[in-house]
Amino acid sequence: MVNFGKKLKETQIQEWQGYYINYKMLKKKVKQYSQQIEAGAQDPFYILKDFSRTLDNQIERIVLFFLEQQGILTGSVPSDPSPVS
């Protein structure tokens, strides 16, 4: 898992780059949150809520992209295909 972020970046499809989960940002947030909890600077409930919101936003962006791609694929398939002989 040491090089997960690097492998994720290397295997991305260039045209879809903006639709991948932002692993680097999430990793930074986790590190920031753990430092805040250790220092007692932030309520763990608030941190969990904030991280959940951030993760939900990432997932929503990906799901919307998938739905968009599904719509494109559905539009390119004939609605009444002829039977194959």
Side-chain angles (χ1 to χ4, degrees):
M1 188 100 113
V2 174
N3 294 316
F4 177 76
K6 188 175 183 178
K7 286 186 183 206
L8 182 64
K9 191 82 168 158
E10 290 172 355
T11 59
Q12 288 181 352
I13 296 172
Q14 202 64 21
E15 307 90 71
W16 298 350
Q17 189 174 7
Y19 301 101
Y20 283 85
I21 196 161
N22 190 338
Y23 178 77
K24 187 175 183 178
M25 181 268 300
L26 291 173
K27 188 175 175 181
K28 283 182 180 181
K29 281 209 172 262
V30 167
K31 186 175 182 178
Q32 176 187 12
Y33 292 145
S34 66
Q35 290 171 346
Q36 289 176 348
I37 289 173
E38 286 176 14
Q42 197 64 259
D43 176 31
F45 179 76
Y46 169 80
I47 289 174
L48 182 59
K49 187 175 178 180
D50 189 55
F51 185 73
S52 292
R53 188 173 342 136
T54 303
L55 191 56
D56 284 347
N57 289 339
Q58 290 286 305
I59 293 169
E60 181 179 6
R61 187 169 44 88
I62 294 165
V63 168
L64 290 174
F65 173 72
F66 281 142
L67 291 173
E68 179 183 318
Q69 294 303 307
Q70 182 181 18
I72 291 169
L73 289 172
T74 301
S76 66
V77 175
S79 59
D80 187 20
S82 301
V84 178
S85 303

